[in-house]
Each structure stands twice: as structure tokens, then as C-alpha cells.
């Protein structure tokens, strides 16, 4: 296929930056993970879809011609098995998109959030990223190549009066850990970046805001773009960070937030 300058980079169908690369994605069954599975596969990657939800994870893998591995990202042995399955099936582990995460309603203000809810969110959102990086790195070090993308959030760098205290703390941890790993392994050809999405237009968010327009308005007013992100827009950033187009981008907090973190006063 002939690529024109105009179409290159704008049409995912002709953007083939990941041919021959193997990508492991956690939380691939839904939302950002699913959109990333589609995007990375469309760019030529062989995709391993990890998810605790067997039905959704399998459907994602089928949709992208990839492999499904059921994994609870809080379990060290299951995480090891996920990355081993990628290597055994495709012969390399080039991209790790460590993305699975939760934001349960029990995690709220520090005044009401109990220790159990705190620990559960830390396990799924932060300890999981430690486990996934620990499992992916040995393959990448042997190859002398790899891109790790850990999903943090814009709340890792901004405070919200609508608190989800453990979630925010977990994403801050993802940010700091990614930075440190990016620095430690830079001379081995491995890049580690934290992806910081702004709020994404997911079914969960739509449902929540349909029932509470005031809550929606309270958030939307802070977004210069005047809207939430689409999952495909976050997936495009994942593909960029996964590819050699971002070869000098390492140890960053890569914001994809429509300008939220840069805003003081937003347009009417
Ligand atoms: N949606 C947003 O507005 C937004 C904004 C910033 C950051 N994020 C982050 O992006 C990531 C993905 O969010 P999303 O909105 O796509 O979520 P989602 O709920 O649509 O998808 C998360 C997926 O992770 C899976 N999962 C949950 N717990 C798991 C576990 N223990 N082991 C394996 N898989 C598990 C779920 O089954 C699901 O398929 C999360 O880390 C989230 O914190 C989301």
C-alpha cells in the first residue's frame, strides 16, 4: 500500500509501526485496554490480552486475532504466566501496557474510606504494575529492547476535591515507579513511561453523569476541550509510546488530558 504524507499518522489502517512486535495488555477486555488492543493490532502488533474477566478478555483477543490469558494482576504467579505465555506464543515481549485498574465507590474521601478499600485499590492499581514490570523486564533486558507503558492518571499530578483517596495515591505511585524504572533501564534499550489520561468517555462515566448532570458539569468546566476523551484517543497515545516514533521519550508522565493540567480559566 502506498502511503501519502497526508494519510501517514492520521489513518491507523496505514500506520504500521508495530509489525513484528509482541504487546501484552492488561485490562484488555474493556475501555482503554480494549481500544489499545485494537489500535496496536491494527499497527501490526501481536497482542496478548490479559484480563480477569474471561468473557470480555476472550472477546477482545478474538476481535484482534490475538491470544487471551486470564489473569488477576494482583497475583504474582498469574502475572508471570501472562508474560511467559506471550514469549512462548510469539517469541518476544516488546511492549507491556500495564493498564488494568479499578475505581470502586468505597474509595472516596479519606474521612470515609476504610483500610480494606484502601488496600484493595493499592493492590489492583499499584502492586499490579510492580508485578507486571518485574515480569516483563527480564524478557526485555535479554532482547535489549522494550517499551513499558503504565497507566496512571491526571489525578496523579492534580488534586481533586471530589476525592478517591486510594486511587489517587495509587496513580501517584505508578508515576514515581515508572520514572525510576525508565531511568534505571534506559541504557538497556528499555523505555518506561507513565500514561496519564484525563477523564474518558466510558459507559460507566456516561451512566454516572446521566443520573447526576451537576456532577458532570462540575468536571466538564475544568476541561479546555469541553469534553471527555474517547478511548481511541488514549489508544493512539499508547501506540505512539509503544512505537519507535517515541524513541527519545522515557521516564515521563505523558499527559493525554485535553489540556486540563495546563488550565487556569477555561473557555465559556
Ligand atoms: N476511564 C477513565 O476516565 C480513566 C482516566 C484515567 C485513568 N484511567 C485508568 O485507565 C485504566 C483503564 O481504565 P478503563 O476506564 O478502561 O477501565 P475499565 O473498567 O473499562 O476496564 C478495566 C479492565 O481491567 C480489568 N480488571 C480489573 N481488575 C483486574 C484484575 N485484578 N486483574 C486483571 N484485570 C482486571 C477489568 O475486567 C476490565 O476489563 C485504569 O488503570 C484506570 O485507572 C481511566
Amino acid at each position: 500500500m502506498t502511503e501519502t504524507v497526508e494519510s501517514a499518522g492520521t489513518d491507523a489502517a496505514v500506520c504500521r509501526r508495530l509489525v513484528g512486535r509482541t504487546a501484552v495488555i492488561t485490562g484488555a477486555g474493556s475501555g482503554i485496554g480494549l481500544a489499545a488492543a485494537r489500535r496496536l493490532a491494527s499497527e501490526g502488533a501481536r497482542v496478548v490480552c490479559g484480563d480477569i474477566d474471561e468473557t470480555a478478555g476472550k472477546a477482545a483477543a478474538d476481535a484482534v486475532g490475538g491470544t487471551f490469558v486470564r489473569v488477576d494482576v494482583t497475583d504474582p504467579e498469574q502475572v508471570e504466566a501472562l508474560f511467559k505465555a506471550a514469549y512462548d506464543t510469539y517469541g518476544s515481549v516488546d511492549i507491556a501496557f500495564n493498564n488494568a485498574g479499578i475505581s470502586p465507590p468505597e474509595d472516596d474521601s479519606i474521612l470515609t474510606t476504610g483500610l480494606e478499600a484502601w488496600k484493595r485499590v493499592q493492590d489492583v492499581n499499584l502492586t499490579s504494575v510492580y508485578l507486571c514490570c518485574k515480569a516483563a523486564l527480564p524478557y526485555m533486558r535479554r532482547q535489549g529492547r522494550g517499551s513499558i507503558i503504565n497507566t496512571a492518571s491526571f489525578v496523579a499530578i492534580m488534586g481533586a476535591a471530589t476525592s478517591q483517596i486510594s486511587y489517587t495515591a495509587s496513580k501517584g505511585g505508578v508515576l514515581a515507579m515508572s520514572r525510576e524504572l525508565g531511568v534505571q533501564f534506559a541504557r538497556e534499550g528499555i523505555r518506561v513511561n507513565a500514561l496519564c489520561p484525563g477523564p474518558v468517555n466510558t459507559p460507566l462515566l456516561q451512566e454516572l453523569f446521566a443520573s447526576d448532570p451537576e456532577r458532570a458539569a462540575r468536571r466538564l468546566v475544568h476541561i479546555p476541550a469541553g469534553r471527555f476523551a474517547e478511548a481511541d484517543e488514549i489508544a493512539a497515545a499508547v501506540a505512539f509510546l509503544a512505537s519507535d516514533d517515541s524513541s527519545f521519550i522515557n521516564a515521563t508522565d505523558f499527559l493525554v488530558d485535553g489540556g486540563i493540567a495546563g488550565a487556569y480559566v477555561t473557555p465559556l
Side-chain angles (χ1 to χ4, degrees):
M1 189 185 296
T2 314
E3 279 189 24
T4 63
V5 172
E6 288 74 31
S7 69
T10 55
D11 183 349
V14 295
C15 200
R16 302 277 294 172
R17 295 175 293 189
L18 303 175
V19 174
R21 309 275 167 101
T22 304
V24 176
I25 302 176
T26 66
S30 172
I32 295 170
L34 177 58
R38 288 205 187 100
R39 176 67 190 244
L40 299 194
S42 84
E43 295 215 21
R46 301 167 296 220
V47 178
V48 177
C49 295
D51 207 292
I52 200 167
D53 181 332
E54 205 151 322
T55 310
K58 243 186 203 142
D62 289 348
V64 303
T67 300
F68 170 66
V69 178
R70 191 193 171 276
V71 64
D72 178 346
V73 289
T74 66
D75 182 310
E77 280 165 20
Q78 291 183 31
V79 170
E80 286 281 345
L82 169 68
F83 285 91
K84 184 171 186 308
Y87 182 78
D88 290 348
T89 309
Y90 298 118
S92 66
V93 177
D94 305 292
I95 299 154
F97 181 34
N98 303 321
N99 162 76
I102 54 170
S103 55
E106 314 82 79
D107 176 28
D108 202 275
S109 160
I110 194 168
L111 301 175
T112 53
T113 301
L115 189 56
E116 212 168 291
W118 166 272
K119 282 185 175 162
R120 174 83 192 130
V121 171
Q122 294 297 315
D123 273 356
V124 180
N125 289 8
L126 179 57
T127 308
S128 69
V129 174
Y130 154 78
L131 292 174
C132 287
C133 291
K134 202 173 167 70
L137 278 164
Y139 297 104
M140 294 179 171
R141 293 185 72 201
R142 274 203 298 275
Q143 294 161 192
R145 174 174 96 176
S147 173
I148 297 179
I149 302 142
N150 296 324
T151 307
S153 165
F154 73 112
V155 302
I157 59 158
M158 298 186 75
T162 49
S163 183
Q164 294 177 288
I165 194 62
S166 186
Y167 181 90
T168 298
S170 73
K171 295 304 188 180
V174 169
L175 205 69
M177 177 164 45
S178 304
R179 183 188 304 126
E180 188 134 306
L181 295 177
V183 172
Q184 184 179 354
F185 295 103
R187 295 191 188 185
E188 296 189 49
I190 300 166
R191 295 181 294 113
V192 186
N193 289 291
L195 176 75
C196 297
V200 180
N201 187 18
T202 56
L204 196 78
L205 206 74
Q206 282 165 12
E207 212 174 283
L208 192 74
F209 292 157
S211 63
D212 193 345
E214 199 195 318
R215 198 166 167 177
R218 190 166 175 195
R219 284 164 177 75
L220 277 168
V221 73
H222 293 288
I223 310 178
R227 64 172 178 85
F228 298 127
E230 296 300 327
D232 284 347
E233 294 177 299
I234 309 299
V238 176
F240 171 66
L241 290 174
S243 78
D244 294 342
D245 277 351
S246 59
S247 53
F248 210 59
I249 297 181
N250 183 32
T252 62
D253 33 358
F254 197 87
L255 273 165
V256 187
D257 71 344
I260 298 172
Y264 172 38
V265 178
T266 56
L268 285 172

